[in-house]
Amino acid sequence: MHDFRYVNGRLYCEGVSLESLALKHGTPLYVYSQHTLLEHFRKLDSALSEMDHLVCFAVKANSNLAVLSALAGAGAGFDIVSEGELRRVIAAGGDTSKCAFAGVGKTESEIAFALKAGIHTFNVESEPELERINRVAGKLKKVAPIAIRVNPNVNARTHAKITTGTYENKFGIAFERVEEVYARASKLRNIKLRGVQMHIGSQLTQVKPFAEAVAKVLPLVRSLKQRYGIEFFSIGGGIGIIYNPALASGNAAWWRRPAAKGLLTPARYADALTPLLKPLGLKILLEPGRFIVGNAGVLLTRVEYVKRTGKKNFVIVDAAMNDLIRPAFYDSYHEILPLVKRRGAEIPSDIVGPICESGDYFAKDRPLHKVSEGQHLALLSAGAYGFVMASNYNARPLAAEVLVNGTKVCVVRDRQPVEDIWKFEKLPPWLA
Ligand code: LLP
């Protein structure tokens, strides 16, 4: 599943001890396993091998150039949501003709940039956007390849903040209106109807909502193919990962656990969807982010203080919600392990950061072996929506990022120098 495991009581990423990385590069430190992320990409890619397909990595999950470059080398396309992400793909050597541009708020200049870069498609999220793309393409004397994003109104039964496929959400065009919008689009001179797209949500742990949404949209896709000769159907991203191994397989920790039962694996995903999709005879696009990179990254942190209040044991670490906001934002679970394995009783502990907010925690009442100042912990499954959601809150510099490949290590992003945080700020003349 991933390449983080204990070897002689020390937590390793592939062939490198994480303690050695924490000591050498400092903390907070993101560490990514190249083997894990490529393995996840290949597993998904090969599970779909029965169909013509393209796996477009969702850049929003992790946009480090090294991660993008590794995936580009493996043949991945990219799902992008801004000019910045497209520029990152280009900087990493990715193929723009494999980029799908999603997002409800594409600006005119973003559309123009993407048209000039020769992207694969715009995933159109509204009727005004369709008109705007046509207008911008007209000005540039180009034809814009598009897919309409269908909102299938299917509940993905995931966290409310990452559900996208119901009419409660701002995404896509309502299922019932889609045919009309295609009819309009087919009349626009600078638009080429290339496909149809949907995405119902993120961190789905069951195959059922995917199958339900695909089955619901299938008749529409068939008719669009017949009428407009579209070439592809993008079924979005959303494949979930295991954050809490105890929930996934009784109480067994992941390093003791054989294959967890009932999980959403690439094989189960493909087995459920291939029979539905293959007869369409269309190219199938996917936009996974978390599945590829989520379990390929950890955040290393140093214990600064251990503090007992009347009721609680607090472990205060040097990483904070500005480095990894998921627990504060989604109440999400991240497995927390010591880099050097400990023995003895586990104490229910709150693992918290130094930021002045009660929401700045990574875990509450989590059983943890006794730790003390200077020891290190790893927050697992931090490869997706970790660094990319980091901020400078409390004037804290952005963490460094390291990529491991076997026994090779490369710092793929330097720790931000603290002065950098206010580099673009200025004093007005009357205060200078
Ligand atoms: N395609 C579209 C249109 C999306 O909106 C998303 C994610 C993806 C693909 C990739 O989804 P994935 O395969 O990674 O689940 N920050 C949140 C997740 C936000 C997801 C936003 N959209 C988190 O930390 O859980």
mmCIF file with all atom_site columns, all heavy atoms in Angstrom, residues 58 60-61 79 102 149 162 197 199 201-203 236-239 287-290 326 330 385 389, ligand 1:
data_model
loop_
_atom_site.group_PDB
_atom_site.id
_atom_site.type_symbol
_atom_site.label_atom_id
_atom_site.label_alt_id
_atom_site.label_comp_id
_atom_site.label_asym_id
_atom_site.label_entity_id
_atom_site.label_seq_id
_atom_site.pdbx_PDB_ins_code
_atom_site.Cartn_x
_atom_site.Cartn_y
_atom_site.Cartn_z
_atom_site.occupancy
_atom_site.B_iso_or_equiv
_atom_site.pdbx_formal_charge
_atom_site.auth_seq_id
_atom_site.auth_comp_id
_atom_site.auth_asym_id
_atom_site.auth_atom_id
_atom_site.pdbx_PDB_model_num
ATOM   1   N N   . ALA A 1 58  ? -4.909  15.001 -10.227 1.00 0.00 ? 58  ALA A N   1
ATOM   2   C CA  . ALA A 1 58  ? -5.478  16.279 -9.765  1.00 0.00 ? 58  ALA A CA  1
ATOM   3   C C   . ALA A 1 58  ? -4.388  17.075 -9.046  1.00 0.00 ? 58  ALA A C   1
ATOM   4   O O   . ALA A 1 58  ? -4.037  16.785 -7.894  1.00 0.00 ? 58  ALA A O   1
ATOM   5   C CB  . ALA A 1 58  ? -6.663  16.021 -8.833  1.00 0.00 ? 58  ALA A CB  1
ATOM   6   N N   . LYS A 1 60  ? -4.272  19.827 -7.651  1.00 0.00 ? 60  LYS A N   1
ATOM   7   C CA  . LYS A 1 60  ? -4.604  20.491 -6.393  1.00 0.00 ? 60  LYS A CA  1
ATOM   8   C C   . LYS A 1 60  ? -4.201  19.660 -5.185  1.00 0.00 ? 60  LYS A C   1
ATOM   9   O O   . LYS A 1 60  ? -3.957  20.194 -4.117  1.00 0.00 ? 60  LYS A O   1
ATOM   10  C CB  . LYS A 1 60  ? -6.098  20.833 -6.331  1.00 0.00 ? 60  LYS A CB  1
ATOM   11  C CG  . LYS A 1 60  ? -7.003  19.612 -6.348  1.00 0.00 ? 60  LYS A CG  1
ATOM   12  C CD  . LYS A 1 60  ? -8.453  19.994 -6.117  1.00 0.00 ? 60  LYS A CD  1
ATOM   13  C CE  . LYS A 1 60  ? -9.172  20.436 -7.368  1.00 0.00 ? 60  LYS A CE  1
ATOM   14  N NZ  . LYS A 1 60  ? -9.384  19.342 -8.368  1.00 0.00 ? 60  LYS A NZ  1
ATOM   15  N N   . ALA A 1 61  ? -4.105  18.344 -5.342  1.00 0.00 ? 61  ALA A N   1
ATOM   16  C CA  . ALA A 1 61  ? -3.779  17.493 -4.199  1.00 0.00 ? 61  ALA A CA  1
ATOM   17  C C   . ALA A 1 61  ? -2.320  17.653 -3.772  1.00 0.00 ? 61  ALA A C   1
ATOM   18  O O   . ALA A 1 61  ? -2.000  17.595 -2.576  1.00 0.00 ? 61  ALA A O   1
ATOM   19  C CB  . ALA A 1 61  ? -4.072  16.026 -4.521  1.00 0.00 ? 61  ALA A CB  1
ATOM   20  N N   . ASP A 1 79  ? -5.221  17.174 -14.085 1.00 0.00 ? 79  ASP A N   1
ATOM   21  C CA  . ASP A 1 79  ? -6.458  17.918 -13.872 1.00 0.00 ? 79  ASP A CA  1
ATOM   22  C C   . ASP A 1 79  ? -6.042  19.200 -13.165 1.00 0.00 ? 79  ASP A C   1
ATOM   23  O O   . ASP A 1 79  ? -5.476  19.152 -12.070 1.00 0.00 ? 79  ASP A O   1
ATOM   24  C CB  . ASP A 1 79  ? -7.389  17.057 -13.002 1.00 0.00 ? 79  ASP A CB  1
ATOM   25  C CG  . ASP A 1 79  ? -8.524  17.844 -12.387 1.00 0.00 ? 79  ASP A CG  1
ATOM   26  O OD1 . ASP A 1 79  ? -9.159  18.611 -13.112 1.00 0.00 ? 79  ASP A OD1 1
ATOM   27  O OD2 . ASP A 1 79  ? -8.772  17.687 -11.176 1.00 0.00 ? 79  ASP A OD2 1
ATOM   28  N N   . ALA A 1 102 ? -10.518 22.414 -14.968 1.00 0.00 ? 102 ALA A N   1
ATOM   29  C CA  . ALA A 1 102 ? -11.797 22.443 -14.254 1.00 0.00 ? 102 ALA A CA  1
ATOM   30  C C   . ALA A 1 102 ? -11.910 23.706 -13.418 1.00 0.00 ? 102 ALA A C   1
ATOM   31  O O   . ALA A 1 102 ? -10.969 24.500 -13.356 1.00 0.00 ? 102 ALA A O   1
ATOM   32  C CB  . ALA A 1 102 ? -11.896 21.218 -13.359 1.00 0.00 ? 102 ALA A CB  1
ATOM   33  N N   . ARG A 1 149 ? -19.443 19.793 -17.568 1.00 0.00 ? 149 ARG A N   1
ATOM   34  C CA  . ARG A 1 149 ? -19.477 19.045 -16.313 1.00 0.00 ? 149 ARG A CA  1
ATOM   35  C C   . ARG A 1 149 ? -20.918 18.852 -15.876 1.00 0.00 ? 149 ARG A C   1
ATOM   36  O O   . ARG A 1 149 ? -21.639 19.809 -15.610 1.00 0.00 ? 149 ARG A O   1
ATOM   37  C CB  . ARG A 1 149 ? -18.713 19.800 -15.226 1.00 0.00 ? 149 ARG A CB  1
ATOM   38  C CG  . ARG A 1 149 ? -18.824 19.114 -13.878 1.00 0.00 ? 149 ARG A CG  1
ATOM   39  C CD  . ARG A 1 149 ? -17.837 19.647 -12.894 1.00 0.00 ? 149 ARG A CD  1
ATOM   40  N NE  . ARG A 1 149 ? -17.987 19.018 -11.604 1.00 0.00 ? 149 ARG A NE  1
ATOM   41  C CZ  . ARG A 1 149 ? -17.232 19.302 -10.565 1.00 0.00 ? 149 ARG A CZ  1
ATOM   42  N NH1 . ARG A 1 149 ? -16.282 20.201 -10.664 1.00 0.00 ? 149 ARG A NH1 1
ATOM   43  N NH2 . ARG A 1 149 ? -17.416 18.688 -9.415  1.00 0.00 ? 149 ARG A NH2 1
ATOM   44  N N   . ILE A 1 162 ? -16.540 18.273 1.044   1.00 0.00 ? 162 ILE A N   1
ATOM   45  C CA  . ILE A 1 162 ? -15.931 17.724 -0.171  1.00 0.00 ? 162 ILE A CA  1
ATOM   46  C C   . ILE A 1 162 ? -16.920 16.899 -1.001  1.00 0.00 ? 162 ILE A C   1
ATOM   47  O O   . ILE A 1 162 ? -16.546 16.079 -1.807  1.00 0.00 ? 162 ILE A O   1
ATOM   48  C CB  . ILE A 1 162 ? -14.626 16.924 0.130   1.00 0.00 ? 162 ILE A CB  1
ATOM   49  C CG1 . ILE A 1 162 ? -14.822 15.907 1.249   1.00 0.00 ? 162 ILE A CG1 1
ATOM   50  C CG2 . ILE A 1 162 ? -13.498 17.874 0.479   1.00 0.00 ? 162 ILE A CG2 1
ATOM   51  C CD1 . ILE A 1 162 ? -13.572 15.092 1.562   1.00 0.00 ? 162 ILE A CD1 1
ATOM   52  N N   . GLN A 1 197 ? -18.127 15.345 -18.613 1.00 0.00 ? 197 GLN A N   1
ATOM   53  C CA  . GLN A 1 197 ? -17.357 15.149 -17.387 1.00 0.00 ? 197 GLN A CA  1
ATOM   54  C C   . GLN A 1 197 ? -18.260 15.166 -16.181 1.00 0.00 ? 197 GLN A C   1
ATOM   55  O O   . GLN A 1 197 ? -19.318 15.813 -16.201 1.00 0.00 ? 197 GLN A O   1
ATOM   56  C CB  . GLN A 1 197 ? -16.318 16.282 -17.269 1.00 0.00 ? 197 GLN A CB  1
ATOM   57  C CG  . GLN A 1 197 ? -15.214 16.061 -16.268 1.00 0.00 ? 197 GLN A CG  1
ATOM   58  C CD  . GLN A 1 197 ? -15.498 16.657 -14.891 1.00 0.00 ? 197 GLN A CD  1
ATOM   59  O OE1 . GLN A 1 197 ? -16.506 17.317 -14.693 1.00 0.00 ? 197 GLN A OE1 1
ATOM   60  N NE2 . GLN A 1 197 ? -14.640 16.392 -13.934 1.00 0.00 ? 197 GLN A NE2 1
ATOM   61  N N   . HIS A 1 199 ? -17.867 14.743 -11.520 1.00 0.00 ? 199 HIS A N   1
ATOM   62  C CA  . HIS A 1 199 ? -17.056 14.451 -10.330 1.00 0.00 ? 199 HIS A CA  1
ATOM   63  C C   . HIS A 1 199 ? -18.006 14.612 -9.162  1.00 0.00 ? 199 HIS A C   1
ATOM   64  O O   . HIS A 1 199 ? -18.599 15.669 -8.990  1.00 0.00 ? 199 HIS A O   1
ATOM   65  C CB  . HIS A 1 199 ? -15.889 15.443 -10.226 1.00 0.00 ? 199 HIS A CB  1
ATOM   66  C CG  . HIS A 1 199 ? -15.164 15.365 -8.905  1.00 0.00 ? 199 HIS A CG  1
ATOM   67  N ND1 . HIS A 1 199 ? -14.224 14.391 -8.635  1.00 0.00 ? 199 HIS A ND1 1
ATOM   68  C CD2 . HIS A 1 199 ? -15.257 16.130 -7.783  1.00 0.00 ? 199 HIS A CD2 1
ATOM   69  C CE1 . HIS A 1 199 ? -13.759 14.566 -7.396  1.00 0.00 ? 199 HIS A CE1 1
ATOM   70  N NE2 . HIS A 1 199 ? -14.369 15.605 -6.869  1.00 0.00 ? 199 HIS A NE2 1
ATOM   71  N N   . GLY A 1 201 ? -17.415 13.863 -5.739  1.00 0.00 ? 201 GLY A N   1
ATOM   72  C CA  . GLY A 1 201 ? -16.905 14.191 -4.409  1.00 0.00 ? 201 GLY A CA  1
ATOM   73  C C   . GLY A 1 201 ? -15.569 13.527 -4.176  1.00 0.00 ? 201 GLY A C   1
ATOM   74  O O   . GLY A 1 201 ? -15.053 12.825 -5.039  1.00 0.00 ? 201 GLY A O   1
ATOM   75  N N   . SER A 1 202 ? -15.050 13.783 -3.000  1.00 0.00 ? 202 SER A N   1
ATOM   76  C CA  . SER A 1 202 ? -13.699 13.334 -2.689  1.00 0.00 ? 202 SER A CA  1
ATOM   77  C C   . SER A 1 202 ? -13.731 12.410 -1.473  1.00 0.00 ? 202 SER A C   1
ATOM   78  O O   . SER A 1 202 ? -14.659 12.477 -0.671  1.00 0.00 ? 202 SER A O   1
ATOM   79  C CB  . SER A 1 202 ? -12.873 14.583 -2.383  1.00 0.00 ? 202 SER A CB  1
ATOM   80  O OG  . SER A 1 202 ? -11.515 14.328 -2.436  1.00 0.00 ? 202 SER A OG  1
ATOM   81  N N   . GLN A 1 203 ? -12.693 11.585 -1.352  1.00 0.00 ? 203 GLN A N   1
ATOM   82  C CA  . GLN A 1 203 ? -12.565 10.639 -0.225  1.00 0.00 ? 203 GLN A CA  1
ATOM   83  C C   . GLN A 1 203 ? -13.794 9.721  -0.132  1.00 0.00 ? 203 GLN A C   1
ATOM   84  O O   . GLN A 1 203 ? -14.406 9.555  0.917   1.00 0.00 ? 203 GLN A O   1
ATOM   85  C CB  . GLN A 1 203 ? -12.290 11.397 1.095   1.00 0.00 ? 203 GLN A CB  1
ATOM   86  C CG  . GLN A 1 203 ? -12.058 10.536 2.338   1.00 0.00 ? 203 GLN A CG  1
ATOM   87  C CD  . GLN A 1 203 ? -10.989 9.452  2.178   1.00 0.00 ? 203 GLN A CD  1
ATOM   88  O OE1 . GLN A 1 203 ? -10.182 9.480  1.272   1.00 0.00 ? 203 GLN A OE1 1
ATOM   89  N NE2 . GLN A 1 203 ? -10.998 8.468  3.038   1.00 0.00 ? 203 GLN A NE2 1
ATOM   90  N N   . GLY A 1 236 ? -14.103 11.844 -13.274 1.00 0.00 ? 236 GLY A N   1
ATOM   91  C CA  . GLY A 1 236 ? -13.640 12.613 -12.120 1.00 0.00 ? 236 GLY A CA  1
ATOM   92  C C   . GLY A 1 236 ? -12.687 11.848 -11.219 1.00 0.00 ? 236 GLY A C   1
ATOM   93  O O   . GLY A 1 236 ? -12.146 10.802 -11.588 1.00 0.00 ? 236 GLY A O   1
ATOM   94  N N   . GLY A 1 237 ? -12.503 12.415 -10.041 1.00 0.00 ? 237 GLY A N   1
ATOM   95  C CA  . GLY A 1 237 ? -11.608 11.783 -9.055  1.00 0.00 ? 237 GLY A CA  1
ATOM   96  C C   . GLY A 1 237 ? -12.429 11.267 -7.894  1.00 0.00 ? 237 GLY A C   1
ATOM   97  O O   . GLY A 1 237 ? -13.585 10.895 -8.075  1.00 0.00 ? 237 GLY A O   1
ATOM   98  N N   . GLY A 1 238 ? -11.830 11.270 -6.712  1.00 0.00 ? 238 GLY A N   1
ATOM   99  C CA  . GLY A 1 238 ? -12.601 10.958 -5.517  1.00 0.00 ? 238 GLY A CA  1
ATOM   100 C C   . GLY A 1 238 ? -12.309 9.629  -4.840  1.00 0.00 ? 238 GLY A C   1
ATOM   101 O O   . GLY A 1 238 ? -12.872 9.354  -3.774  1.00 0.00 ? 238 GLY A O   1
ATOM   102 N N   . ILE A 1 239 ? -11.454 8.807  -5.443  1.00 0.00 ? 239 ILE A N   1
ATOM   103 C CA  . ILE A 1 239 ? -11.169 7.505  -4.805  1.00 0.00 ? 239 ILE A CA  1
ATOM   104 C C   . ILE A 1 239 ? -10.488 7.748  -3.460  1.00 0.00 ? 239 ILE A C   1
ATOM   105 O O   . ILE A 1 239 ? -9.466  8.414  -3.392  1.00 0.00 ? 239 ILE A O   1
ATOM   106 C CB  . ILE A 1 239 ? -10.257 6.632  -5.702  1.00 0.00 ? 239 ILE A CB  1
ATOM   107 C CG1 . ILE A 1 239 ? -10.865 6.488  -7.093  1.00 0.00 ? 239 ILE A CG1 1
ATOM   108 C CG2 . ILE A 1 239 ? -9.995  5.281  -5.045  1.00 0.00 ? 239 ILE A CG2 1
ATOM   109 C CD1 . ILE A 1 239 ? -9.956  5.761  -8.074  1.00 0.00 ? 239 ILE A CD1 1
ATOM   110 N N   . GLU A 1 287 ? -9.674  11.644 -12.731 1.00 0.00 ? 287 GLU A N   1
ATOM   111 C CA  . GLU A 1 287 ? -8.973  12.789 -12.129 1.00 0.00 ? 287 GLU A CA  1
ATOM   112 C C   . GLU A 1 287 ? -8.622  12.500 -10.672 1.00 0.00 ? 287 GLU A C   1
ATOM   113 O O   . GLU A 1 287 ? -9.015  13.250 -9.771  1.00 0.00 ? 287 GLU A O   1
ATOM   114 C CB  . GLU A 1 287 ? -9.866  14.032 -12.177 1.00 0.00 ? 287 GLU A CB  1
ATOM   115 C CG  . GLU A 1 287 ? -10.318 14.438 -13.553 1.00 0.00 ? 287 GLU A CG  1
ATOM   116 C CD  . GLU A 1 287 ? -11.489 15.418 -13.523 1.00 0.00 ? 287 GLU A CD  1
ATOM   117 O OE1 . GLU A 1 287 ? -12.004 15.706 -12.420 1.00 0.00 ? 287 GLU A OE1 1
ATOM   118 O OE2 . GLU A 1 287 ? -11.883 15.880 -14.592 1.00 0.00 ? 287 GLU A OE2 1
ATOM   119 N N   . PRO A 1 288 ? -7.891  11.445 -10.390 1.00 0.00 ? 288 PRO A N   1
ATOM   120 C CA  . PRO A 1 288 ? -7.582  11.139 -8.991  1.00 0.00 ? 288 PRO A CA  1
ATOM   121 C C   . PRO A 1 288 ? -6.456  12.017 -8.460  1.00 0.00 ? 288 PRO A C   1
ATOM   122 O O   . PRO A 1 288 ? -5.492  12.294 -9.169  1.00 0.00 ? 288 PRO A O   1
ATOM   123 C CB  . PRO A 1 288 ? -7.121  9.685  -9.053  1.00 0.00 ? 288 PRO A CB  1
ATOM   124 C CG  . PRO A 1 288 ? -6.500  9.573  -10.411 1.00 0.00 ? 288 PRO A CG  1
ATOM   125 C CD  . PRO A 1 288 ? -7.258  10.510 -11.317 1.00 0.00 ? 288 PRO A CD  1
ATOM   126 N N   . GLY A 1 289 ? -6.599  12.471 -7.231  1.00 0.00 ? 289 GLY A N   1
ATOM   127 C CA  . GLY A 1 289 ? -5.518  13.198 -6.583  1.00 0.00 ? 289 GLY A CA  1
ATOM   128 C C   . GLY A 1 289 ? -5.084  12.418 -5.360  1.00 0.00 ? 289 GLY A C   1
ATOM   129 O O   . GLY A 1 289 ? -4.009  11.818 -5.296  1.00 0.00 ? 289 GLY A O   1
ATOM   130 N N   . ARG A 1 290 ? -6.000  12.381 -4.382  1.00 0.00 ? 290 ARG A N   1
ATOM   131 C CA  . ARG A 1 290 ? -5.689  11.766 -3.093  1.00 0.00 ? 290 ARG A CA  1
ATOM   132 C C   . ARG A 1 290 ? -5.210  10.320 -3.216  1.00 0.00 ? 290 ARG A C   1
ATOM   133 O O   . ARG A 1 290 ? -4.273  9.912  -2.544  1.00 0.00 ? 290 ARG A O   1
ATOM   134 C CB  . ARG A 1 290 ? -6.960  11.795 -2.228  1.00 0.00 ? 290 ARG A CB  1
ATOM   135 C CG  . ARG A 1 290 ? -6.740  11.445 -0.797  1.00 0.00 ? 290 ARG A CG  1
ATOM   136 C CD  . ARG A 1 290 ? -8.086  11.294 -0.082  1.00 0.00 ? 290 ARG A CD  1
ATOM   137 N NE  . ARG A 1 290 ? -9.046  12.299 -0.398  1.00 0.00 ? 290 ARG A NE  1
ATOM   138 C CZ  . ARG A 1 290 ? -9.264  13.406 0.341   1.00 0.00 ? 290 ARG A CZ  1
ATOM   139 N NH1 . ARG A 1 290 ? -8.593  13.602 1.450   1.00 0.00 ? 290 ARG A NH1 1
ATOM   140 N NH2 . ARG A 1 290 ? -10.179 14.289 -0.017  1.00 0.00 ? 290 ARG A NH2 1
ATOM   141 N N   . ARG A 1 326 ? -5.983  19.862 7.581   1.00 0.00 ? 326 ARG A N   1
ATOM   142 C CA  . ARG A 1 326 ? -7.097  18.914 7.449   1.00 0.00 ? 326 ARG A CA  1
ATOM   143 C C   . ARG A 1 326 ? -7.799  18.594 8.781   1.00 0.00 ? 326 ARG A C   1
ATOM   144 O O   . ARG A 1 326 ? -9.032  18.608 8.832   1.00 0.00 ? 326 ARG A O   1
ATOM   145 C CB  . ARG A 1 326 ? -6.650  17.631 6.733   1.00 0.00 ? 326 ARG A CB  1
ATOM   146 C CG  . ARG A 1 326 ? -6.057  17.887 5.340   1.00 0.00 ? 326 ARG A CG  1
ATOM   147 C CD  . ARG A 1 326 ? -5.927  16.624 4.510   1.00 0.00 ? 326 ARG A CD  1
ATOM   148 N NE  . ARG A 1 326 ? -7.219  16.122 4.111   1.00 0.00 ? 326 ARG A NE  1
ATOM   149 C CZ  . ARG A 1 326 ? -7.834  15.138 4.684   1.00 0.00 ? 326 ARG A CZ  1
ATOM   150 N NH1 . ARG A 1 326 ? -7.250  14.469 5.642   1.00 0.00 ? 326 ARG A NH1 1
ATOM   151 N NH2 . ARG A 1 326 ? -9.025  14.773 4.292   1.00 0.00 ? 326 ARG A NH2 1
ATOM   152 N N   . TYR A 1 330 ? -11.532 19.699 8.553   1.00 0.00 ? 330 TYR A N   1
ATOM   153 C CA  . TYR A 1 330 ? -12.500 18.615 8.272   1.00 0.00 ? 330 TYR A CA  1
ATOM   154 C C   . TYR A 1 330 ? -12.649 17.649 9.444   1.00 0.00 ? 330 TYR A C   1
ATOM   155 O O   . TYR A 1 330 ? -13.284 16.620 9.300   1.00 0.00 ? 330 TYR A O   1
ATOM   156 C CB  . TYR A 1 330 ? -12.045 17.771 7.070   1.00 0.00 ? 330 TYR A CB  1
ATOM   157 C CG  . TYR A 1 330 ? -11.655 18.553 5.845   1.00 0.00 ? 330 TYR A CG  1
ATOM   158 C CD1 . TYR A 1 330 ? -10.318 18.641 5.460   1.00 0.00 ? 330 TYR A CD1 1
ATOM   159 C CD2 . TYR A 1 330 ? -12.613 19.170 5.055   1.00 0.00 ? 330 TYR A CD2 1
ATOM   160 C CE1 . TYR A 1 330 ? -9.948  19.339 4.320   1.00 0.00 ? 330 TYR A CE1 1
ATOM   161 C CE2 . TYR A 1 330 ? -12.251 19.859 3.923   1.00 0.00 ? 330 TYR A CE2 1
ATOM   162 C CZ  . TYR A 1 330 ? -10.921 19.948 3.559   1.00 0.00 ? 330 TYR A CZ  1
ATOM   163 O OH  . TYR A 1 330 ? -10.559 20.635 2.440   1.00 0.00 ? 330 TYR A OH  1
ATOM   164 N N   . TYR A 1 385 ? -3.438  17.239 -0.186  1.00 0.00 ? 385 TYR A N   1
ATOM   165 C CA  . TYR A 1 385 ? -4.080  18.345 0.505   1.00 0.00 ? 385 TYR A CA  1
ATOM   166 C C   . TYR A 1 385 ? -3.359  18.668 1.814   1.00 0.00 ? 385 TYR A C   1
ATOM   167 O O   . TYR A 1 385 ? -3.980  19.006 2.815   1.00 0.00 ? 385 TYR A O   1
ATOM   168 C CB  . TYR A 1 385 ? -5.571  18.048 0.729   1.00 0.00 ? 385 TYR A CB  1
ATOM   169 C CG  . TYR A 1 385 ? -6.262  17.639 -0.554  1.00 0.00 ? 385 TYR A CG  1
ATOM   170 C CD1 . TYR A 1 385 ? -6.648  16.316 -0.792  1.00 0.00 ? 385 TYR A CD1 1
ATOM   171 C CD2 . TYR A 1 385 ? -6.466  18.576 -1.569  1.00 0.00 ? 385 TYR A CD2 1
ATOM   172 C CE1 . TYR A 1 385 ? -7.238  15.944 -1.997  1.00 0.00 ? 385 TYR A CE1 1
ATOM   173 C CE2 . TYR A 1 385 ? -7.062  18.206 -2.767  1.00 0.00 ? 385 TYR A CE2 1
ATOM   174 C CZ  . TYR A 1 385 ? -7.447  16.896 -2.973  1.00 0.00 ? 385 TYR A CZ  1
ATOM   175 O OH  . TYR A 1 385 ? -8.033  16.529 -4.155  1.00 0.00 ? 385 TYR A OH  1
ATOM   176 N N   . MET A 1 389 ? -2.240  23.162 1.032   1.00 0.00 ? 389 MET A N   1
ATOM   177 C CA  . MET A 1 389 ? -3.198  23.982 1.789   1.00 0.00 ? 389 MET A CA  1
ATOM   178 C C   . MET A 1 389 ? -2.511  24.745 2.919   1.00 0.00 ? 389 MET A C   1
ATOM   179 O O   . MET A 1 389 ? -3.181  25.353 3.766   1.00 0.00 ? 389 MET A O   1
ATOM   180 C CB  . MET A 1 389 ? -4.334  23.101 2.342   1.00 0.00 ? 389 MET A CB  1
ATOM   181 C CG  . MET A 1 389 ? -5.228  22.512 1.254   1.00 0.00 ? 389 MET A CG  1
ATOM   182 S SD  . MET A 1 389 ? -6.550  21.470 1.902   1.00 0.00 ? 389 MET A SD  1
ATOM   183 C CE  . MET A 1 389 ? -7.792  22.684 2.346   1.00 0.00 ? 389 MET A CE  1
HETATM 184 N N1  . LLP B 2 .   ? -11.759 16.457 -9.920  1.00 0.00 ? 1   LLP B N1  1
HETATM 185 C C1  . LLP B 2 .   ? -12.449 17.488 -9.406  1.00 0.00 ? 1   LLP B C1  1
HETATM 186 C C2  . LLP B 2 .   ? -13.371 18.221 -10.277 1.00 0.00 ? 1   LLP B C2  1
HETATM 187 C C3  . LLP B 2 .   ? -12.290 17.852 -8.052  1.00 0.00 ? 1   LLP B C3  1
HETATM 188 O O1  . LLP B 2 .   ? -13.001 18.856 -7.561  1.00 0.00 ? 1   LLP B O1  1
HETATM 189 C C4  . LLP B 2 .   ? -11.396 17.119 -7.232  1.00 0.00 ? 1   LLP B C4  1
HETATM 190 C C5  . LLP B 2 .   ? -11.197 17.485 -5.829  1.00 0.00 ? 1   LLP B C5  1
HETATM 191 C C6  . LLP B 2 .   ? -10.671 16.066 -7.823  1.00 0.00 ? 1   LLP B C6  1
HETATM 192 C C7  . LLP B 2 .   ? -10.885 15.756 -9.145  1.00 0.00 ? 1   LLP B C7  1
HETATM 193 C C8  . LLP B 2 .   ? -9.700  15.245 -7.049  1.00 0.00 ? 1   LLP B C8  1
HETATM 194 O O2  . LLP B 2 .   ? -10.317 14.567 -5.990  1.00 0.00 ? 1   LLP B O2  1
HETATM 195 P P1  . LLP B 2 .   ? -9.544  13.403 -5.212  1.00 0.00 ? 1   LLP B P1  1
HETATM 196 O O3  . LLP B 2 .   ? -9.276  12.278 -6.174  1.00 0.00 ? 1   LLP B O3  1
HETATM 197 O O4  . LLP B 2 .   ? -8.274  13.972 -4.677  1.00 0.00 ? 1   LLP B O4  1
HETATM 198 O O5  . LLP B 2 .   ? -10.482 13.019 -4.132  1.00 0.00 ? 1   LLP B O5  1
HETATM 199 N N2  . LLP B 2 .   ? -9.044  19.493 0.593   1.00 0.00 ? 1   LLP B N2  1
HETATM 200 C C9  . LLP B 2 .   ? -9.911  18.348 0.713   1.00 0.00 ? 1   LLP B C9  1
HETATM 201 C C10 . LLP B 2 .   ? -10.226 17.721 -0.618  1.00 0.00 ? 1   LLP B C10 1
HETATM 202 C C11 . LLP B 2 .   ? -10.798 18.692 -1.625  1.00 0.00 ? 1   LLP B C11 1
HETATM 203 C C12 . LLP B 2 .   ? -11.101 18.031 -2.945  1.00 0.00 ? 1   LLP B C12 1
HETATM 204 C C13 . LLP B 2 .   ? -11.472 19.034 -3.963  1.00 0.00 ? 1   LLP B C13 1
HETATM 205 N N3  . LLP B 2 .   ? -11.721 18.499 -5.261  1.00 0.00 ? 1   LLP B N3  1
HETATM 206 C C14 . LLP B 2 .   ? -9.288  17.370 1.676   1.00 0.00 ? 1   LLP B C14 1
HETATM 207 O O6  . LLP B 2 .   ? -8.232  17.667 2.251   1.00 0.00 ? 1   LLP B O6  1
HETATM 208 O O7  . LLP B 2 .   ? -9.847  16.297 1.952   1.00 0.00 ? 1   LLP B O7  1
#
